[in-house]
């Protein structure tokens, strides 16, 4: 496009709220988007591989690594004793997670040593040659075993309580209780973990790391090397997926690569094989939820008491905040007049579980929805009627207080559910399904409408801050950097839209750059769905500063009041004159205006007192609802998802195309968690589902056959977020609970809906068939 | 180009390649990424399950150039002679303009993290070349071997529907543009004599014909014979086994013959699932949906019926129906040919009736007599691209009084080998084919099988599902719907 045409255009290409495609889409399809393993390797690059424990819990009696050292191509074999700083990468500060195990191992697959060799293949081959002698100790891998063996905790539990749950339970007209197992989930990001460390001068090292949390990798690498943070630079342009799995789990790979690089004075790349990645890194926590509920004949809940016991693995990692968030979402969208919720973060001899999209919230919510289901089957009613009877009330009403004493002030769940119930034709379809099931012998159907209310903000309040660095160059081109990381969610695109909108230029004028700890320090993990909220605001703040300087400059130069200066598409309007943006910037430069700014943002209003269990940990809530319809085969337990309708709230969307992708993708990922994705440990404590051949995430042919997804276009964030948008990464994940409950209804048809099938998750075909069998014999 | 017996020759995108140094266990993916720096092709799992490494491989089948999607991660470089390897880098035109397949993915927001995307592009490109009007069943089948963790697939499927219509001139397409030239080139590259590469401990052998193969195996009875490498590829990437020598047979025309006679169908051991599907389904229609659930498209394009049998797995999906159908196997060596019933080939877990120097040459599937009922049911945690928890094949003949005159049932996943349900069969013989009979026959499964518990299913589930499959077979043979079908036409 020539300059004249460009200057005539009255709009910019991608303001906020435009459905712009992902900034890297062209490169993705062309195969030219570089991931860390695709970068040209510096000359002399060495490769690392892990030596892993083959015991779940044992003392290391001796380690004979001579054959490893003697193997072809091996340059160095590193053990925990070789860590120059502190052999610890615990993100919780509890010093319970070594880089490499020393003295004892606490899970099958725990990294014990690392091999550094000329090629990756040589390193992997050599790693198999170790002779390690162990003295075995008793191990327990699952929640039930652990509860039976002292129930040791990895971190402090949490209690949330309001009112008097025990008395209210005792006095309730009806009462029920039960247990539910909720399985974990592997992230299965398509790009496995990777780190490339390049040694620098003195104590310096640069690490390219596939991480959602560069600042923590920087901190951990420094800690393990025994050097200050200012010696370590961590960079990442993009990840091939993260989903929480690269929040803390990148530390290990980065630390090993950095230690070896400094020791050997050569670049070291560490890309574990898929099996090593899935064995040695943490997953979503599985839970055993024990619940009691008191309610009345109208289905109104009087009291809820529940305990959430979680398989945390051998160390604390993020299990504290994850199990906390489970409790924060045990209410989902429902008011519990009296409530007592407790967490039990259990130590198990398994890999340490970690963040995963929803961060405990999904498990909390599944437990809460099970209670709704139980009440519905106990009363012989549609679970949707029970839901509606228990929704939080209007802001300020007596029914608006959460178990953590934060009032729900932005409640739109009623409107979302009503609209979806109508648009999906829920009632007529449910009636048709009841009719179908009455006539069909083998195939049964189920339908369920479940809502989502998800709290947005890190519950660690200090994490709710972000920085951005924006430069405007003399030619009017803009350089954007911020602390958020791009893992596919479109964060970079959204923040670039914020900046393009602020300066009123085309988004092609904004250069998106790799996240690096050298440009924006002390960043938070790109997690908790907060990426756009925090970094969008930080970038907006940087733009504001530069624009204020530019306005002041123009006001002085052209002797006009500041109100007469405006940023309009591709121009700055100075009084009646339109100056092309680049020309205006050039003049500002010549007048020595600072054209660079560091933006900053911290979320207002939030506070949280964990000891008391009281506060307002969330800035706002995101809402949504889904209706799922399924068919099951009662002879084998096989099933399919026939139709899904979703109405989801993202406030005023920053980018509806990207947000739709988040909603659809999160739903299918959530569906995988609750259906076919099963983690299976054998009696030796060895995870046997550690690759896609054995661990089954959804395929294209598993997605709903009919999939109607809508954003609630009328919604606008009640709080002053960037463009009044809402976070989108995690909330829609939990829409998939509707699939689990629809399966449950199909199973319930076997016993004429008189019993809650108590279908555990994941509802594999086996669990569905076994639930059918149970109901047949009731 | 002169053929040399110590060189593997093929075409990579638009470049002719001649390699004299090919380690026996070098994968195509590692060669592409590490040696050619073609980094668009990704490693996601190194076991042929995620599809991030998908490339197209062109080969001559009966003189015609056919392009198929394959998993570069488990395809061995030594098997590439006389092929055309097409990677994602080859698609966009020199000026950067995207291929319609790529453009459709961009337009429909089909990528998020982008790591799986080149693999999806290549699978969809394979579909685009083969089918200009794919419906949703065809699209889902083409994508069975590609995992995406971000999008939920909906935008990718929409892109696949949109791209079908987008067909500028053939010149635009890099494969169509080169088709004639490549066809000639590949014809010239077919080996005239056995290709031998490498030194003792690390040898690649590519026999020129089946007689050469028999000779090679007589001399090298411990050789690893590789057809599709969908299993051996994992010995390399996961177990890091040393293999010597590796003998590649995927290119041998004599092993790729399919011939139909009134008596039945003879299929060469080197026929892939994809090639075999139409012929097998022509004989026994129930085999089409089963074959459509073996691996992903890439695996079906590489894996062979012969390999599925020869590796002796108790959970291979073709032996149960083939045994139920009474298939016979022909083994070949320099000593000649030997024919045996397929069920006799599987002796015990990990043990088959194959003598040193023997290889599976062909399989004969007799035409089922008219009037019989046949069904095969695969049960797995995930419907597609999953290994069976159990797979049951049922064949039954009824007499004029509705009594069972013959029954042949075979299950995979229920024992250490694919195994007949002989007690169930015996119980049914002579009894009326009714719910009462089936209900009583269920108990006999417990005599026939003692299944294991593993990550795919518990022993209890396997036993219960096996019994229930007999019930399903009864219901279906009497016309009552008793299973789910995502698309009716594929039922």
């Amino acid at each position: 496009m020539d300059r004249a045409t460009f200057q005539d255009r009255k709009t910019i290409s991608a303001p906020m709220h435009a459905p712009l495609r992902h900034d890297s889409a062209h490169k993705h399809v062309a195969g030219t988007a570089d991931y860390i393993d695709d970068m040209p390797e510096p000359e002399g690059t060495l490769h690392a591989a892990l030596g892993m424990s083959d015991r779940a819990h044992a003392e290391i009696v001796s380690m004979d690594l001579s054959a490893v050292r003697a193997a072809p191509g091996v340059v160095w074999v590193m053990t925990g004793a070789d860590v120059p700083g502190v052999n610890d990468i615990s993100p919780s500060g509890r010093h319970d997670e070594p880089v490499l195990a020393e003295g004892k191992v606490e899970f099958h697959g725990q990294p014990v040593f690392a091999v550094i060799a000329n090629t990756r293949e040589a390193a992997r081959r050599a790693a198999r040659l170790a002779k390690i002698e162990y003295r075995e100790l008793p191990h327990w891998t699952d929640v039930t075993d652990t509860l039976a063996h002292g129930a040791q905790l990895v971190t402090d539990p949490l209690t949330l309580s309001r009112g008097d749950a025990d008395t209210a339970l005792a006095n309730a007209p009806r009462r029920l209780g039960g247990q539910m197992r909720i399985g974990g989930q592997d992230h299965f990001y398509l790009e496995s973990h990777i780190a490339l460390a390049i040694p620098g001068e003195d104590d310096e090292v640069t690490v390219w790391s596939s991480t959602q949390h560069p600042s923590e990798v920087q901190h951990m690498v420094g800690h393990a090397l025994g050097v200050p943070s200012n010696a370590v630079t961590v960079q990442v342009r993009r990840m091939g997926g993260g989903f929480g799995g690269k929040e803390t789990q990148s530390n290990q790979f980065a630390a090993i690569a950095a230690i070896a690089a400094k020791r050997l004075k050569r670049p070291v790349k560490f890309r574990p094989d898929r099996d090593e990645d899935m064995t040695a890194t943490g997953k979503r926590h599985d839970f055993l939820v024990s619940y009691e509920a008191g309610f009345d004949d109208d289905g109104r809940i009087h009291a809820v008491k529940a305990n959430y016991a979680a398989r945390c693995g051998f160390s604390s990692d993020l299990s504290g905040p994850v199990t906390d968030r489970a409790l924060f979402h045990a209410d989902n969208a429902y008011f519990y007049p009296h409530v007592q919720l407790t967490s039990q973060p259990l130590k198990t001899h398994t890999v340490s579980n970690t963040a995963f999209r929803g961060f405990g919230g999904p498990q909390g919510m599944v437990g809460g929805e099970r209670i709704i289901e139980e009440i519905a089957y106990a009363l012989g009613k549609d679970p949707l009627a029970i839901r509606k009877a228990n929704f939080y009330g209007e802001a300020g009403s007596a029914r608006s207080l959460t178990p953590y004493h934060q009032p729900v002030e932005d409640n739109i769940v009623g409107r979302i559910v009503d609209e979806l119930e109508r648009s999906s034709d829920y009632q007529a379809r449910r009636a048709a399904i009841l009719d179908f099931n009455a006539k069909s012998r083998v195939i049964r159907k189920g339908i369920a409408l479940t809502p989502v209310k998800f709290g947005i903000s890190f519950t660690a309040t200090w994490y709710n801050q972000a920085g951005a660095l924006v430069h405007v160059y003399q030619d009017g081109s803009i350089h954007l950097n911020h602390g958020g990381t791009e893992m596919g969610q479109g964060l970079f695109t959204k923040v670039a839209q914020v900046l393009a909108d602020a300066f009123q230029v085309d988004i092609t004028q904004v250069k998106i750059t790799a996240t690096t700890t050298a440009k924006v320090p002390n960043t938070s993990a790109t997690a908790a769905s907060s990426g756009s909220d925090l970094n969008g605001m930080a970038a907006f703040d940087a733009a504001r500063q530069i624009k204020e300087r530019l306005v002041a400059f123009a006001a002085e130069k052209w002797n006009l009041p500041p109100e007469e200066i405006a940023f309009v598409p591709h121009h700055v309007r100075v009084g009646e004159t339109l100056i092309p943006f680049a020309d205006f910037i050039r003049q500002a430069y010549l007048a020595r205006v600072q054209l660079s700014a560091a933006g900053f943002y911290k979320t207002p209003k939030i506070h949280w007192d964990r000891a008391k269990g009281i506060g307002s940990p969330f800035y706002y809530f995101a809402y949504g609802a889904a209706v799922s319809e399924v068919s099951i085969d009662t002879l084998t337990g096989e099933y399919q998802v026939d139709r899904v309708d979703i109405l989801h709230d993202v406030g005023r969307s920053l980018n509806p195309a990207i947000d739709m992708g988040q909603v659809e993708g999160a739903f299918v990922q959530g569906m995988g968690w609750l259906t076919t994705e099963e983690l299976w440990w054998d009696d030796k404590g060895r995870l046997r589902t550690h690759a896609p051949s054995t661990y089954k995430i959804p395929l294209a042919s598993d997605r709903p056959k009919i999939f109607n997804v809508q954003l609630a276009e009328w919604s606008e964030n009640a709080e002053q977020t960037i463009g009044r948008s809402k976070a989108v990464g995690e909330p829609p994940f939990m829409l998939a609970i509707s699939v689990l409950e629809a399966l449950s209804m199909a199973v319930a048809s076997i016993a004429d809906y008189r019993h809650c099938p108590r279908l555990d998750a994941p509802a594999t075909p086996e669990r569905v068939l076994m639930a059918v069998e149970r109901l047949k014999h009731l | 180009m002169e053929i040399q017996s110590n060189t593997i020759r093929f075409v990579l995108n638009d470049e002719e390649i001649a390699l004299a140094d090919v380690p026996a266990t070098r994968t195509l993916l590692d060669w592409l990424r590490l040696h050619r720096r073609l980094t668009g092709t990704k490693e996601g799992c190194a076991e042929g399950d995620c599809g991030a490494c998908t490339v197209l491989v062109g080969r001559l089948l009966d003189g015609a150039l056919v392009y198929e999607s394959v998993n570069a991660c488990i395809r061995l470089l030594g098997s590439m002679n006389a092929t055309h390897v097409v990677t994602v880098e080859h698609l966009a035109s020199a000026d950067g303009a995207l291929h319609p397949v790529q453009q459709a993915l961009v337009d429909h927001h089909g990528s998020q993290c982008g790591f799986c995307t080149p693999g999806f592009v290549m699978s969809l490109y394979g579909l685009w070349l083969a089918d200009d009007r794919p419906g949703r069943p065809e699209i889902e089948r083409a994508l069975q071997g590609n995992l995406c963790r971000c999008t939920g697939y909906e935008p990718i499927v929409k892109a696949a529907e949109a791209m079908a219509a987008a067909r500028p001139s053939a010149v635009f397409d890099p494969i169509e543009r080169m088709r004639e030239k490549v066809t000639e080139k590949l014809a010239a590259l077919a080996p005239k004599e056995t290709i031998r590469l490498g030194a003792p401990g690390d040898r690649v052998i590519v026999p020129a014909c089946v007689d050469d193969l028999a000779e090679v195996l007589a001399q090298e009875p411990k050789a690893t014979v590789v057809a599709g490498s969908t299993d051996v590829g994992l010995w390399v990437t996961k177990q890091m086994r040393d293999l010597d020598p590796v003998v590649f047979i995927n290119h041998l025309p004599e092993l790729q013959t399919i011939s139909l006679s009134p008596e039945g169908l003879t299929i060469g051991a080197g026929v892939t699932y994809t090639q075999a599907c139409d012929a097998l389904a022509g004989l026994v229609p129930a085999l089409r949906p089963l074959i459509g659930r073996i691996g992903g498209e890439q695996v079906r394009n590489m894996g062979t019926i012969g390999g599925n049998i020869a590796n002796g797995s108790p959970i291979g999906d073709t032996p149960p129906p083939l045994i139920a159908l009474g298939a016979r196997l022909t083994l070949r060596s320099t000593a000649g040919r030997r024919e045996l019933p397929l069920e006799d080939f599987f002796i015990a877990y990990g043990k088959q009736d194959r003598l040193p120097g023997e290889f599976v040459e062909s399989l004969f599937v007799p035409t089922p007599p008219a009037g019989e009922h046949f069904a095969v049911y695969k049960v797995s945690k995930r419907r597609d691209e999953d290994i069976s928890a159990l797979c049951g094949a049922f064949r039954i003949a009824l007499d004029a009084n509705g009594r069972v005159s013959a029954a042949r049932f075979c299950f995979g996943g229920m024992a250490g080998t694919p195994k007949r349900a002989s007690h169930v069969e015996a119980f049914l013989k002579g009894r009326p084919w009714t719910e009462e009979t089936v209900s009583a026959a269920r108990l006999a499964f417990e005599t026939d099988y003692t299944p294991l518990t593993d990550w795919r299913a518990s022993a209890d589930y396997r036993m219960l599902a096996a019994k229930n499959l007999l019930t399903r077979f009864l219901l279906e043979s009497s016309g009552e719907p008793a299973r789910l079908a995502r698309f009716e036409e594929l039922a």
Side-chain angles (χ1 to χ4, degrees), chain B residues 186-401:
Chain B
L186 299 191
L189 291 180
K192 308 278 188 295
E193 58 184 275
T194 297
I195 300 172
R196 291 172 186 270
L197 271 67
D202 185 18
R203 292 170 299 160
V204 168
I205 301 176
V206 183
C209 61
V210 169
D211 289 343
D212 285 357
L213 170 62
E215 287 296 331
V216 165
L217 293 183
Q219 294 154 18
E220 303 278 357
K222 296 209 164 122
T224 303
V225 178
V226 176
S229 73
T230 57
D231 194 26
V232 175
L234 277 73
W235 303 0
V236 169
T237 60
K238 298 298 174 183
Q239 300 167 18
M240 314 212 70
R241 278 204 225 168
D242 290 312
L243 306 174
D244 175 61
V246 175
V247 180
F248 292 101
I249 62 165
N250 55 303
H251 59 291
L252 292 173
E254 302 104 306
L255 293 184
Q256 292 181 2
T257 53
I258 300 175
S259 61
L260 184 65
S261 71
E263 289 74 40
L265 186 67
T266 304
I267 297 175
V271 172
T272 62
Y273 299 109
T274 301
Q275 285 169 267
C277 189
D278 281 346
L280 282 169
L283 194 71
V284 183
L287 293 176
R288 186 184 298 281
L290 176 75
I291 293 172
R293 289 178 60 195
I294 295 173
E297 184 86 349
Q298 298 91 324
V299 162
R300 292 193 294 271
N301 288 337
M302 297 198 289
T304 62
I305 307 277
N308 199 226
I309 291 165
N311 84 355
S313 166
I315 43 175
D317 281 333
T318 58
L322 292 173
I323 288 171
L325 289 165
R328 294 196 296 274
L329 200 60
T330 296
L331 296 164
R332 162 92 186 264
S333 69
T334 46
R337 291 187 171 84
R338 180 163 73 96
E339 201 191 39
L340 74 166
L342 178 58
E343 61 183 304
D344 293 347
F345 181 68
F346 303 100
I347 298 167
Y349 180 75
K351 190 170 177 216
Q352 297 88 43
D353 181 8
R354 186 160 70 91
L355 303 171
E358 270 188 335
F359 60 93
V360 176
E361 188 180 50
S362 66
L363 180 84
F364 175 75
V365 189
T367 305
E372 288 191 353
H373 294 285
F374 176 84
V376 55
Y377 306 123
K378 169 172 174 159
V379 179
S380 52
K381 210 179 278 181
R382 186 177 67 195
R383 195 193 68 171
D384 293 325
E385 206 206 23
D386 197 358
I387 292 166
S388 290
L390 69 161
C391 178
F394 301 87
R395 181 178 159 210
I396 204 162
L398 304 178
D399 65 18
N401 302 318

Side-chain angles (χ1 to χ4, degrees), chain A residues 49 51 68 112 154 202 229 317 355 411 439 468 544 557 576 612 657 678 737 761:
Chain A
V68 185
V112 180
V154 288
D202 303 325
S229 291
D317 187 73
N411 189 5
K439 294 170 188 152
R544 177 193 57 77
K557 179 176 168 88
E576 297 302 307
K612 293 198 178 95
E678 186 175 31
I737 296 170

Side-chain angles (χ1 to χ4, degrees), chain A residues 56-57 88-89 95-99 101 104-111 140 152-154 249 252 280 282 311-317 319 346-353:
Chain A
H57 189 201
D88 175 53
I89 43 167
H95 303 289
D96 57 0
E97 190 167 343
V99 181
K104 66 171 174 179
V105 293
E106 296 193 275
F107 73 94
H108 199 297
Q110 184 168 11
W140 32 93
Q152 192 187 339
L153 303 180
V154 288
Q249 304 297 295
Q252 188 149 33
R311 165 162 32 201
C312 297
F314 81 103
S315 73
S316 52
D317 187 73
S319 292
L346 295 169
K347 173 164 176 147
T348 51
H349 298 109
T350 49
V351 68
S352 192
N353 281 331

Side-chain angles (χ1 to χ4, degrees), chain A residues 48 76 78 82 84 99 116 195-200 203-208 217-218 220-225 227 231-234 250-270:
Chain A
W76 187 44
M78 172 187 166
D82 296 311
V99 181
I116 316 296
L196 170 65
I198 303 172
D203 56 2
E204 294 168 18
V205 64
T206 299
V207 185
W208 288 88
V217 171
Q218 175 196 29
M220 289 296 168
V221 166
H223 187 62
L225 278 172
V227 302
V232 182
T233 304
V234 175
S250 319
N251 294 337
Q252 188 149 33
F253 306 100
I256 290 170
I259 291 166
K262 289 306 286 182
R263 161 96 170 215
L264 302 169
K265 299 186 171 56
R266 288 169 70 175
V268 174
K269 187 195 268 190
F270 191 176

Side-chain angles (χ1 to χ4, degrees), chain A residues 438-563:
Chain A
K439 294 170 188 152
S440 176
R441 193 160 137 190
V442 176
I443 306 299
R444 297 296 175 91
K445 291 175 185 276
I447 188 169
L449 190 162
T450 61
V452 167
K453 165 185 133 286
F454 193 77
I456 302 300
S457 294
F458 289 98
T459 54
T461 303
W462 63 90
Y463 261 28
N464 297 286
Q465 60 172 310
L469 181 65
V470 172
H471 308 317
V472 181
Y473 292 103
Q474 291 174 53
D475 62 355
S477 67
I478 298 168
H479 172 109
L480 166 62
N481 195 272
H482 54 78
T485 57
E486 176 65 41
M487 60 195 102
Q489 81 280 42
L491 171 65
F492 282 15
T493 311
K494 284 183 174 178
V495 179
Q497 282 178 270
V498 168
L499 213 54
D501 195 289
F503 286 110
Q504 288 292 299
V505 297
D506 277 350
I507 200 156
T508 46
Q509 265 178 272
V510 179
K511 172 64 83 180
I512 292 168
T513 59
T515 315
T516 166
T517 55
K519 284 184 186 170
V520 177
N522 307 320
T523 57
S524 297
T526 307
S529 310
S530 68
S532 324
D533 278 11
L534 298 178
N535 295 291
M537 274 300 208
F540 184 80
D541 180 55
R544 177 193 57 77
Q545 294 174 47
I546 296 170
K547 283 166 67 181
E548 281 176 7
R549 290 183 210 131
L550 290 169
V551 167
F553 145 74
E556 187 187 338
K557 179 176 168 88
W558 284 285
N559 196 22
L560 286 164
E563 309 84 73

